[in-house]
């Protein structure tokens, strides 16, 4: 087993996020309210990188995207494409298993208004670096949204100007392929910036790439 470098339950690296966590622990004492660990086997070839836990979703459940609106489309798609097995019931104990796929977030703690600031992105990046470095079979990274894309490109020490975010675009990260998708957020799906078909097209590409 590769030891995972993950933030402590009471991580105090980001004062604003620590303060927000304390507030939420007061308001919702029976919820998870801590940095949300990655989910899925470390041996996976595919890593999905989201932005940050949603307040009443991943921050409550303790599992990325679980209970968040964005999780409905994400987990349905993972089940359809064989990257998950079981039933997604929006609870961390629903027994859902990821197959050859792992999910993490660019920022592990819930940010106020769902918006991490640049400093928090930078402070949390070492955990993403470690996540990527310790996934020995990693072939493909799916970034959900521009902010996640930028975090991944920086993780590889590459220039953002050389890798423009675009839905469905593929970028070479020195042997590992980064694929972009619009984030499967409620806003993006409601406004049709991202449709189910567009999201599934990205997974078709991922499957083709991973088979090739
Ligand atoms: N929930 C997460 O865990 N990550 C996101 O990016 C959005 C919702």
């Amino acid at each position: 087993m590769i030891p995972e470098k993950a933030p402590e339950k009471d991580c105090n690296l980001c004062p604003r996020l620590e303060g927000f966590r304390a507030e939420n622990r007061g308001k919702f004492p029976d919820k998870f309210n801590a940095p949300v660990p990655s989910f899925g086997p470390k041996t996976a070839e595919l890593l999905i990188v989201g932005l940050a836990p949603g307040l009443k979703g991943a921050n409550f459940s303790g599992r990325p995207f679980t209970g968040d609106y964005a999780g409905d489309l994400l987990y349905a798609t993972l089940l359809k494409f064989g990257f998950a097995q079981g039933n997604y019931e929006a609870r961390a104990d629903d027994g859902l298993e990821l197959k050859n796929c792992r999910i993490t977030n660019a920022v592990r703690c819930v940010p106020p208004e769902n918006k991490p600031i640049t400093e928090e992105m930078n402070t949390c990046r070492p955990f993403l670096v470690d996540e990527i470095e310790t996934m020995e079979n990693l072939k493909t990274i799916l970034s959900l949204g521009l902010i996640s894309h930028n975090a991944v490109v920086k993780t590889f020490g590459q220039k953002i100007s050389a890798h423009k975010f675009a839905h469905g675009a593929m970028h070479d990260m020195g042997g590992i392929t980064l694929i972009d998708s619009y984030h499967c957020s409620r806003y993006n799906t409601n406004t049709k910036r991202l449709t189910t078909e567009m999201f599934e097209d990205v997974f078709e590409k991922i499957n083709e790439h991973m088979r090739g």
Side-chain angles (χ1 to χ4, degrees):
M1 278 281 285
I2 303 157
E4 190 183 343
K5 192 158 108 194
E8 302 282 330
K9 197 171 155 285
D10 296 319
C11 181
N12 60 3
L13 297 175
C14 302
R16 191 181 76 120
L17 301 187
E18 191 189 9
F20 193 46
R21 184 196 306 138
E23 205 182 292
N24 289 323
R25 281 182 180 169
K27 279 197 219 160
F28 313 109
D30 55 337
K31 301 298 182 190
F32 187 74
N33 293 309
V36 174
S38 306
F39 172 44
K42 198 81 194 166
T43 51
E45 292 173 303
L46 172 64
L47 177 67
I48 300 177
V49 184
L51 173 57
L55 175 60
K56 295 188 176 171
N59 174 63
F60 272 17
S61 68
R63 195 174 75 180
F65 287 92
T66 300
D68 280 307
Y69 181 89
D72 292 350
L73 178 56
L74 178 61
Y75 285 114
T77 310
L78 292 177
L79 282 161
K80 180 164 179 176
F81 283 82
F83 287 110
Q85 201 171 44
N87 290 314
Y88 171 65
E89 290 169 12
R91 297 178 280 111
D93 62 356
D94 57 13
L96 185 83
E97 273 181 56
L98 296 187
K99 300 277 163 196
N100 203 18
C101 164
R102 188 165 161 91
I103 309 178
T104 195
N105 278 308
V107 171
R108 303 284 180 108
C109 291
V110 56
E113 288 161 24
N114 273 324
K115 287 194 189 90
I117 57 175
T118 307
E119 202 182 335
E120 291 158 355
M121 298 292 304
N122 291 340
T123 302
C124 212
R125 196 171 320 110
F127 298 113
L128 182 59
V129 170
D130 182 74
E131 187 69 68
I132 289 171
E133 279 178 352
T134 55
M135 287 184 69
E136 290 178 343
N137 304 322
L138 187 62
K139 267 195 181 158
T140 310
I141 300 177
L142 168 62
S143 269
L144 298 178
L146 171 68
I147 298 175
S148 152
H149 164 95
N150 288 348
V152 172
V153 172
K154 283 187 193 167
T155 290
F156 282 93
Q158 298 217 20
K159 284 210 162 75
I160 287 171
S161 56
H163 297 283
K164 290 263 160 63
F165 172 87
H167 183 77
M170 296 170 90
H171 311 267
D172 179 23
M173 296 284 116
I176 291 174
T177 300
L178 167 63
I179 303 188
D180 298 333
S181 170
Y182 289 128
H183 194 288
C184 45
S185 65
R186 186 198 305 254
Y187 180 81
N188 283 346
T189 52
N190 281 351
T191 58
K192 305 262 187 298
R193 176 188 284 248
L194 180 72
T195 61
T196 300
E197 198 185 1
M198 285 165 72
F199 201 48
E200 290 184 355
D201 284 348
V202 170
F203 278 83
E204 300 277 4
K205 269 196 181 178
I206 291 172
N207 266 347
E208 258 169 49
H209 175 70
M210 285 177 52
R211 268 189 247 117

